Amino acid sequence: MGTPAFPNLGKHCNVGDCRQLDFLPFTCDRCNQVFCLQHRSYINHRCPNANQKDVTVLICPLCAKGVRLVPDQDPNITWDSHVNTDCDPSNYQKATKKRRCPVPGCKEVLNLSNSIRCRDCSKEHCLKHRFGLDHSCSGPKKTDSGFPFVGLFSKSQKSPQNSTSTSSWWGSGLMNAVSNFRASAESGIQKFSNATTEAIQKAKTGIAESSSTGELVEQCVQCRARFSTVSALIDHVERSHRQTSKPAANRVTIDVCPKCSKGFRDPVALVEHVERDHGGTSLA
């Protein structure tokens, strides 16, 4: 065994018919004997303790749970221990009942990859019956009444099954909805245009009436003379009151605005103030 330099190198296989010298032998973890590469498995060297590594699991018919048999123990003892401590018959339905597609005649088992929940009836169906028409859906949820095309979707379920009549019905219904929507928009635009035209006409009529009557709406604050326009009033003040209305050295004359009661020493400044801040009219 071994070599002259390494006399303890390698071991012989414990199988009687083999006894091969192996420099990298295998030690069985059950019988602790040494074997070669060919006889390293439990079956090849007929290991007497191989059953200690076997894993046997029985399914309980009462609770559908797995019961592992303990090596070197009577299976009846293991079974009695499970029945008295861990067995729960109520778990049988949960473990054996499989989710299936609710469509009559469909036996597809539902799982995470082939099931879709319908938004209308809140039920899960297989991919084949995922649409509402395929699984006879109870109907869509109540839609918003403010949507202009609600009538189309509500009437589509009551439409005839003939494909030709259905397509013609959809075309006519869609055109009617579009026509109604367009008519309502045009009516709103026409009302807005009429109101704008009426307002402009009233404004033009008021301006024309005031100019045609020739009313004296502007009044001089010094001599109480009336004029029809602001420019005529300014010409009157500059011509009649600028040179003649020089106050004495010891007296200050203040003209008050009849609208905002703001005082001015110069009548021209008052007139300019009225034209600029009060729209050209000095009536209180």
Side-chain angles (χ1 to χ4, degrees):
M1 184 177 65
T3 61
F6 301 97
N8 296 325
L9 181 62
K11 293 182 180 180
H12 290 278
C13 181
N14 287 324
V15 176
D17 298 339
C18 180
R19 303 300 297 175
Q20 179 182 356
L21 178 61
D22 197 331
F23 293 99
L24 296 174
F26 296 88
T27 301
C28 179
D29 57 352
R30 304 311 305 164
C31 60
N32 295 325
Q33 293 183 2
V34 178
F35 300 95
C36 63
L37 178 64
Q38 182 180 358
H39 300 97
R40 70 184 186 277
S41 62
Y42 299 144
I43 297 176
N44 291 337
H45 69 264
R46 298 178 183 179
C47 183
N49 300 329
N51 58 351
Q52 296 181 3
K53 283 290 185 180
D54 293 341
V55 178
T56 304
V57 178
L58 301 178
I59 303 300
C60 178
L62 301 178
C63 62
K65 291 183 178 180
V67 181
R68 181 178 178 179
L69 300 181
V70 181
D72 299 333
Q73 186 180 21
D74 189 359
N76 294 326
I77 298 176
T78 305
W79 182 258
D80 292 339
S81 176
H82 163 70
V83 172
N84 295 329
T85 59
D86 193 31
C87 187
D88 185 9
S90 62
N91 187 60
Y92 184 82
Q93 292 294 335
K94 299 179 182 179
T96 58
K97 187 177 180 180
K98 297 180 180 180
R99 297 187 302 116
R100 296 183 181 274
C101 182
V103 176
C106 183
K107 299 181 180 180
E108 184 73 18
V109 179
L110 301 180
N111 50 48
L112 295 177
S113 61
N114 69 339
S115 61
I116 295 179
R117 183 178 299 274
C118 180
R119 295 182 178 179
D120 298 330
C121 60
S122 300
K123 295 181 180 180
E124 291 186 355
H125 301 83
C126 63
L127 298 179
K128 182 180 179 181
H129 301 100
R130 63 185 182 274
F131 297 110
L133 297 178
D134 296 332
H135 63 261
S136 301
C137 188
S138 57
K141 298 179 181 178
K142 185 177 180 181
T143 55
D144 188 8
S145 58
F147 187 66
F149 302 103
V150 171
L152 297 179
F153 297 102
S154 61
K155 294 180 181 178
S156 61
Q157 297 179 357
K158 300 181 181 179
S159 60
Q161 297 182 357
N162 190 4
S163 60
T164 305
S165 61
T166 302
S167 60
S168 62
W169 180 87
W170 271 97
S172 60
L174 182 61
M175 292 300 297
N176 292 334
V178 172
S179 300
N180 295 334
F181 182 77
R182 181 178 179 181
S184 61
E186 291 179 353
S187 177
I189 295 175
Q190 185 65 28
K191 290 181 180 180
F192 178 76
S193 178
N194 294 338
T196 305
T197 305
E198 184 179 357
I200 295 174
Q201 187 65 28
K202 287 183 178 179
K204 290 182 179 180
T205 304
I207 295 174
E209 290 179 355
S210 62
S211 61
S212 62
T213 54
E215 295 181 355
L216 302 178
V217 296
E218 305 296 338
Q219 184 179 11
C220 181
V221 295
Q222 292 188 6
C223 63
R224 299 302 177 182
R226 292 181 174 273
F227 301 91
S228 61
T229 60
V230 178
S231 59
L233 175 60
I234 294 175
D235 295 338
H236 163 72
V237 172
E238 291 180 350
R239 183 176 61 255
S240 302
H241 301 293
R242 174 163 296 202
Q243 297 178 358
T244 59
S245 60
K246 292 182 179 180
N250 56 355
R251 189 180 68 176
V252 178
T253 302
I254 297 178
D255 296 324
V256 180
C257 178
K259 282 194 172 184
C260 62
S261 301
K262 187 176 181 180
F264 296 89
R265 295 184 179 182
D266 189 0
V268 178
L270 173 60
V271 174
E272 293 177 353
H273 160 72
V274 171
E275 185 179 10
R276 182 180 63 255
D277 299 336
H278 301 297
T281 176
S282 62
L283 294 179

